[in-house]
């Protein structure tokens, strides 16, 4: 593994025993890495950094009809949002879990952006490769990781932020989530992929966390 490679999320039960009771589950693209360009409206966090980052899935094409993966991706993020998220997870009872196509490679992206948490961050595996990205697989991965957590710790909370995998209106009847016992202690946040987490969404997250 590379120097900044993340490791898979261990059993949540073992983390509860260590006193971790708040889990921030994050997608990256469309959450931090906004797709829109220019100056955003004031309800959003305007990107302050634009950089090219190596694509960990890049493989040079040998035939012109093969699937194309660019050598680099453009990352755009707000230093203000990064600082706010760092503050949210600055205590010993909080943990960041990445549920994103970047998977274990988010470690290098985190370092580049200045994301720095109290506890080691993990990634939640889902699918077999970068093309296997169906949203239902993310929901199943979340369910499998957190099923029964509220039985083990009634005060445990989770926030899941994803711009694509969540349909907040119907998520409670989703087969992969409806039996997740932590559901009464879960906040689902679906940002506009063009701009990422909004100021209002961040305020809701902080209030749910209990540190507003």
């Amino acid at each position: 593994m590379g120097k900044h490679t993340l490791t898979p999320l261990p059993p949540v039960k073992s983390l509860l025993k260590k006193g971790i009771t708040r889990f921030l589950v994050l997608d990256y693209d469309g959450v931090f890495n906004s797709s829109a360009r220019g100056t955003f409206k004031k309800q959003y966090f305007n990107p302050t950094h634009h950089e090219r980052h190596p694509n960990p899935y890049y493989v040079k094409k040998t035939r012109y009809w093969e699937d194309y993966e660019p050598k680099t991706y453009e990352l755009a993020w707000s230093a203000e949002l990064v600082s706010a998220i760092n503050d949210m997870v600055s205590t010993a009872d909080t943990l960041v879990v990445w549920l994103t196509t970047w998977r274990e490679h988010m470690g290098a992206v985190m370092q580049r952006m200045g994301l720095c948490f109290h506890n080691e961050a993990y990634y939640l595996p889902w699918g077999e490769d970068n093309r296997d990205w169906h949203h239902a697989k993310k929901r199943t991965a979340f369910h499998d990781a957190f099923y029964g957590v509220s039985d083990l710790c009634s005060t445990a909370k989770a926030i899941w932020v994803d711009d694509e995998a969540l349909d907040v209106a119907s998520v409670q009847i989703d087969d992969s989530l409806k039996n997740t016992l932590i559901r009464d202690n879960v906040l689902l946040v679906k940002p506009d992929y063009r701009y990422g987490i909004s100021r209002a969404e961040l305020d809701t997250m902080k209030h749910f966390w209990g540190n507003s």
Side-chain angles (χ1 to χ4, degrees):
M1 290 187 176
K3 182 178 179 181
H4 305 295
T5 302
L6 301 183
T7 56
L9 179 71
V12 173
K13 183 177 180 179
S14 67
L15 298 171
L16 293 172
K17 290 180 178 179
K18 295 179 180 179
I20 294 174
T21 58
R22 299 194 294 181
F23 300 86
L24 182 57
V25 183
L26 294 169
D27 187 17
Y28 178 67
D29 294 306
V31 172
F32 286 96
N33 190 21
S34 52
S35 63
R37 296 295 178 258
T39 302
F40 294 178
K41 295 180 179 180
K42 63 181 180 181
Q43 62 261 42
Y44 299 105
F45 293 91
N46 205 56
T48 53
H49 294 73
H50 296 82
E51 298 184 14
R52 304 297 302 187
H53 188 81
N55 174 9
Y57 302 105
Y58 171 73
V59 177
K60 186 176 181 180
K61 289 179 23 172
T62 58
R63 298 176 180 86
Y64 72 88
W65 63 80
E66 291 178 336
D67 289 341
Y68 175 71
E69 280 280 358
K71 283 187 176 181
T72 62
Y73 283 119
E74 182 177 5
L75 307 184
W77 71 89
S78 162
E80 183 183 359
L81 177 58
V82 166
S83 178
I85 296 298
N86 283 344
D87 287 344
M88 276 192 65
V89 290
S90 63
T91 58
D93 63 342
T94 60
L95 187 79
V96 169
V97 182
W98 293 99
L99 185 48
T100 167
T101 53
W102 287 88
R103 295 180 175 80
E104 67 269 25
H105 306 292
M106 267 306 302
V109 179
M110 285 171 50
Q111 184 188 47
R112 188 163 203 158
M113 293 174 58
L115 286 165
C116 184
F117 312 134
H118 185 280
N119 290 307
E120 176 185 1
Y122 296 95
Y123 81 99
L124 190 55
W126 60 280
E128 296 179 355
D129 56 42
N130 198 40
R131 292 168 294 180
D132 189 10
W133 62 285
H134 194 273
H135 302 153
K137 293 184 181 295
K138 281 189 173 184
R139 296 194 292 270
T140 299
F142 180 88
H143 168 268
D144 290 348
F146 290 98
Y147 183 87
V149 167
S150 61
D151 277 355
L152 299 172
C153 178
S154 61
T155 59
K157 291 184 176 182
I159 300 174
W160 184 11
V161 188
D162 193 297
D163 67 304
E164 292 182 322
L166 303 174
D167 181 350
V168 176
S170 63
V171 74
Q172 291 299 340
I173 60 172
D174 187 292
D175 286 341
S176 65
L177 289 178
K178 66 182 180 182
N179 292 321
T180 304
L181 297 183
I182 198 175
R183 65 185 181 278
D184 292 332
N185 295 331
V186 166
L187 175 67
L188 305 174
V189 180
K190 185 180 182 182
D192 185 326
Y193 72 93
R194 297 170 298 177
Y195 308 109
I197 297 173
S198 70
R199 295 181 184 278
E201 288 164 341
L202 179 66
D203 287 344
T204 299
M205 292 163 61
K206 291 166 65 176
H207 179 74
F208 178 82
W209 224 229
N211 59 356
S212 58

